[in-house]
Amino acid sequence: MIAEFGLAALWLAASLAVLQLLGGAVALREGEERLAVLVRPAAAVQGVLAALSFGALLLLFTRTDLSVKLVAMNSHSAKPFIYKLSGAWGNHEGSMLLWVTVMAMAGALIALLERRLPEKTIQATLAAQAFVGLGFYAFLLFSSNPFERLPEPAAEGMGLNPLLQDIGLALHPPTLYFGYVGLSVAFSFAVGALITRQVTPAFARAMRPWVLGAWIFLTLGITAGSYWAYYELGWGGWWFWDPVENASLMPWLAATALLHSASVLAARDALRAWTIMLGVVAFSMSMVGTFLVRSGILTSVHAFAVDPERGSFILALLAIYIGGALTLFALRAGTVAEGERFAVTSREGALVFNNVMLCAILGIVLVGTLYPLLTEAFDVKVSVGPPYFNPAGAIFFVPMVVVMAIGPLLRWRRDWLGRVKTPLIFAALVSLATLVGVLAWNPPGLLPLLGFAMATGLGVASLLPLRGRSLRRLPLAVWGMVIAHLGIAVSLFGMASESAFSVEKLVAARVGETMTVGPWQVRLNAVEPVAGPNWTAMEGRLAAEYRGGRAVTVTPQSRTFWAPEQETSESALLTRWNGQLYAVLGDESEDGRWQLRLWWKPFVTLIWFGGILIALGGLLALLGRLANDLKRRTAQAKIAERKAEMG
């Protein structure tokens, strides 16, 4: 009955989404209040029902109920509990149910908590949210039922892709979904504001926490996905410009631009139309990413599935949502006032410049991701990789980093560069000294060299807004900006170091032999069979010494899963403060030698440490904004109370 309960809850949630949409649409007409009062309750109850439906699916997976088709196709009784749980969202149907659940719960939160905007704007926003949700409900109920029963229960499940049986991938998809859904909320706010012509600072303040939250989750999801690809796939790389990786990067780029634009609108009442447009673009990129990952239209090392039929369904949703929003934008953009003016040399000017650079990089990634599709339509197969993305992206990334270093030092409205030239010269000198030092020590290629120079210069410039200010009284939002920008500098330094100074060795070694890779001496002591809950493996035991120091054991494995049958390489990492030793065990040759791939990657961990700093900066900014909103509401309530007392 659990499956039937979950399906019934899903149908009821979809029905309430219809009511929410109709109520919101009727509310836009003067004098129609009867259905309008149902919009907020419908959104709140819909969130509860969707959560119950997804809870039922989780329960089916944790019990390994093999009478349900989705469980039998994606789980196995011998799997560890955490991967039984993650199996619920490691497939088409479950991931879409998770998406619509998070979306419905976000709508419920808006209905319960948001009181700053005019009621009609909120009702229009919730109607837009219901309209988006209905497409996903239809996808689940008519095309991809997650609760479908088998005619006869299966004797055993088919298991989960072994590459997905990892704690990084257990958490990575839901993290990204929270980001995607946060952007759908921003999209709904943008549509609601366009319909009611209420593109105001209050609208930006209401939308900004959702954009910030989405941006934080996307940052964490991309960081976790990058680290998972690094250690799980055994290729030693952290970013391959894979279509699935690009699918998450594109919404992040758009969300970064939207976040800064919304801040300008909230604080200075400028960039009104631009903010609305970015709200549409950010959600569009979420939908494009979803289509790419789930349609199977592009080949990827870690795409979810190949399913053109259901991909067509998502493509239809993409056309409806984005086409409709762009049409609405075209019809109403002329009625949205431009807002306050500002000088080119100002903080707003710097933010606009970087927004344009972010959009240009987004365009480069989008073209590079879709270009193979276009050529394949003419029977020409091409692959687009780092030789295109790296230099093309650098053309816009370099000036963006330079302006990112200057922008936070400028004043709002109008400023002049002479006022901030001293701290900027200091940052430039640090950058130049780094350039000279790296060239003198071990000259790398042009892009890594630029990366070192920009990372150190941006790192110093990021801290300059703290100069001369009381750190205890500094607003959390400022701390957030400083830490997020510093995180970008730290990540950039890690990328440059990994690109410039990584050392790789591929050997065929007998037990007892010693190899050298960078500053490490690595001895193969043994290769032994081991077993896990649903796999067996050959495990190499390597003794690694850093510059003649104490030996540390690392244990790479070559695993064999039996449900489904698949071999994977489990890399072994040895982390020091200045980098990681990376070891992969391959096959045994006929003469008893074992293939070993070893890397020494200086400062590679800074890539992901920087990602965590960026997300932390976003979290501090979010907490600061929420605290300010709470103070503002409290003050407004006190003023209203005093006015009431005075009659």
Side-chain angles (χ1 to χ4, degrees):
M1 290 299 290
I2 297 173
E4 287 70 26
F5 172 81
L7 186 58
L10 194 61
W11 272 106
L12 287 172
S15 304
L16 285 172
V18 173
L19 179 61
Q20 183 178 325
L21 173 61
L22 292 176
V26 170
L28 297 175
R29 302 173 59 183
E30 292 296 335
E32 297 287 350
E33 304 297 333
R34 283 174 295 179
L35 274 179
V37 297
L38 297 176
V39 174
R40 285 183 186 262
V45 179
Q46 184 204 153
V48 173
L49 288 168
L52 288 174
S53 181
F54 188 69
L57 187 68
L58 288 176
L59 197 54
L60 291 171
F61 268 88
T62 55
R63 291 185 172 188
T64 319
D65 186 341
L66 297 174
S67 68
V68 176
K69 183 180 177 181
L70 191 65
V71 179
M73 295 289 290
N74 296 281
S75 192
H76 191 281
S77 60
K79 274 201 314 184
F81 177 80
I82 181 66
Y83 302 129
K84 286 185 179 180
L85 200 63
S86 63
W89 56 77
N91 53 78
H92 264 303
E93 293 83 354
S95 60
M96 282 295 151
L97 181 55
L98 174 60
W99 175 301
V100 82
T101 299
V102 179
M103 186 182 292
M105 293 177 71
L109 286 176
I110 294 171
L112 295 173
L113 301 177
E114 184 53 58
R115 305 288 173 184
R116 287 168 290 189
L117 297 178
E119 188 60 20
K120 283 191 179 298
T121 302
I122 288 297
Q123 289 165 344
T125 300
L126 289 173
Q129 187 76 353
F131 180 68
V132 174
L134 275 173
F136 290 93
Y137 283 121
F139 180 85
L140 287 165
L141 294 171
F142 301 123
S143 175
S144 304
N145 177 11
F147 300 103
E148 181 181 349
R149 293 278 190 186
L150 291 169
E152 296 289 335
E156 189 48 272
M158 297 177 66
L160 179 68
N161 182 344
L163 290 176
L164 304 182
Q165 294 185 39
D166 179 87
I167 189 64
L169 255 286
L171 302 176
H172 169 64
T175 312
L176 284 182
Y177 289 155
F178 278 105
Y180 290 159
V181 174
L183 294 180
S184 82
V185 177
F187 171 81
S188 299
F189 269 111
V191 171
L194 263 182
I195 291 174
T196 58
R197 296 183 175 89
Q198 293 291 324
V199 186
T200 61
F203 146 75
R205 282 193 286 272
M207 182 180 70
R208 187 169 51 187
W210 294 98
V211 181
L212 254 175
W215 186 78
I216 293 167
F217 279 113
L218 282 175
T219 304
L220 289 174
I222 292 171
T223 303
S226 166
Y227 194 55
W228 168 82
Y230 171 72
Y231 70 78
E232 180 63 25
L233 298 182
W235 63 15
W238 52 273
W239 197 264
F240 193 65
W241 296 107
D242 181 90
V244 175
E245 293 174 329
N246 295 347
S248 60
L249 179 63
M250 289 187 288
W252 185 87
L253 291 167
T256 306
L258 173 61
L259 181 61
H260 290 86
S261 177
S263 295
V264 173
L265 177 54
R268 302 292 160 183
D269 195 13
L271 304 179
R272 291 178 181 174
W274 179 248
T275 303
I276 292 289
M277 187 66 192
L278 285 176
V280 174
V281 170
F283 180 60
S284 303
M285 291 302 105
S286 294
M287 291 298 298
V288 168
T290 304
F291 170 68
L292 292 177
V293 172
R294 307 207 167 274
S295 64
I297 200 165
L298 288 175
T299 304
S300 161
V301 293
H302 48 308
F304 264 81
V306 177
D307 193 337
E309 183 180 342
R310 285 185 285 192
S312 301
F313 200 114
I314 298 175
L315 184 61
L317 292 181
L318 179 70
I320 293 170
Y321 294 153
I322 308 310
L326 289 177
T327 303
L328 180 63
F329 182 80
L331 293 174
R332 290 292 178 88
T335 66
V336 178
E338 186 179 351
E340 298 293 329
R341 300 295 184 92
F342 50 85
V344 173
T345 308
S346 64
R347 188 175 293 190
E348 294 98 321
L351 288 170
V352 169
F353 179 85
N354 273 1
N355 266 6
V356 173
M357 294 298 103
L358 282 167
C359 291
I361 296 169
L362 170 60
I364 286 169
V365 177
L366 183 64
V367 169
T369 306
L370 297 183
Y371 182 65
L373 265 180
L374 299 176
T375 60
E376 197 162 332
F378 298 97
D379 293 329
V380 178
K381 290 193 174 182
V382 300
S383 61
V384 181
Y388 161 75
F389 287 107
N390 289 345
I395 292 172
F396 300 98
F397 184 75
V398 171
M400 186 182 76
V401 170
V402 172
V403 175
M404 192 191 306
I406 300 171
L409 303 177
L410 296 176
R411 291 172 176 160
W412 295 102
R413 303 287 189 204
R414 182 179 297 277
D415 206 347
W416 67 98
L417 288 176
R419 191 184 63 79
V420 296
K421 68 179 181 183
T422 303
L424 289 178
I425 288 173
F426 175 66
L429 287 176
V430 171
S431 187
L432 183 63
T434 305
L435 200 67
V436 173
V438 172
L439 279 173
W441 180 55
N442 188 2
L446 176 61
L447 288 182
L449 192 63
L450 274 175
F452 281 120
M454 289 191 301
T456 50
L458 178 61
V460 171
S462 300
L463 300 174
L464 290 177
L466 304 179
R467 189 171 56 107
R469 304 178 68 169
S470 171
L471 299 185
R472 287 188 302 174
R473 296 181 179 177
L474 205 61
L476 276 178
V478 177
W479 275 114
M481 177 194 69
V482 168
I483 291 175
H485 285 190
L486 183 63
I488 291 173
V490 169
S491 279
L492 188 56
F493 190 92
M495 295 172 195
S497 181
E498 196 274 344
S499 300
F501 303 130
S502 282
V503 180
E504 179 184 5
K505 176 157 284 190
L506 177 62
V507 296
R510 295 181 188 279
V511 171
E513 287 188 9
T514 299
M515 293 72 67
T516 300
V517 54
W520 292 89
Q521 294 285 324
V522 181
R523 185 174 189 273
L524 178 61
N525 282 340
V527 179
E528 300 171 341
V530 294
N534 58 340
W535 50 264
T536 57
M538 295 303 294
E539 181 177 276
R541 302 189 66 78
L542 309 177
E545 297 178 5
Y546 183 82
R547 299 192 188 283
R550 184 173 61 86
V552 179
T553 300
V554 292
T555 56
Q557 295 177 343
S558 178
R559 287 185 183 176
T560 302
F561 289 80
W562 63 78
E565 291 186 8
Q566 187 171 331
E567 292 186 0
T568 65
S569 294
E570 300 296 318
S571 63
L573 303 176
L574 184 54
T575 304
R576 281 176 50 85
W577 67 272
N578 59 343
Q580 276 187 334
L581 176 68
Y582 187 115
V584 177
L585 179 68
D587 298 328
E588 183 183 20
S589 61
E590 292 181 356
D591 62 355
R593 295 174 184 270
W594 288 90
Q595 292 179 2
L596 275 176
R597 188 183 290 269
L598 304 170
W599 281 277
W600 167 237
K601 293 176 174 291
F603 297 107
V604 68
T605 49
L606 292 183
I607 295 172
W608 304 291
F609 179 63
I612 294 171
L613 280 180
I614 296 168
L616 176 62
L619 178 63
L620 291 177
L622 177 61
L623 293 176
R625 302 297 183 196
L626 292 177
N628 287 340
D629 284 346
L630 188 61
K631 287 179 184 175
R632 187 181 295 111
R633 288 190 194 192
T634 305
Q636 288 173 346
K638 286 182 178 177
I639 292 171
E641 187 178 339
R642 286 183 184 176
K643 285 183 177 176
E645 289 174 356
M646 295 171 66

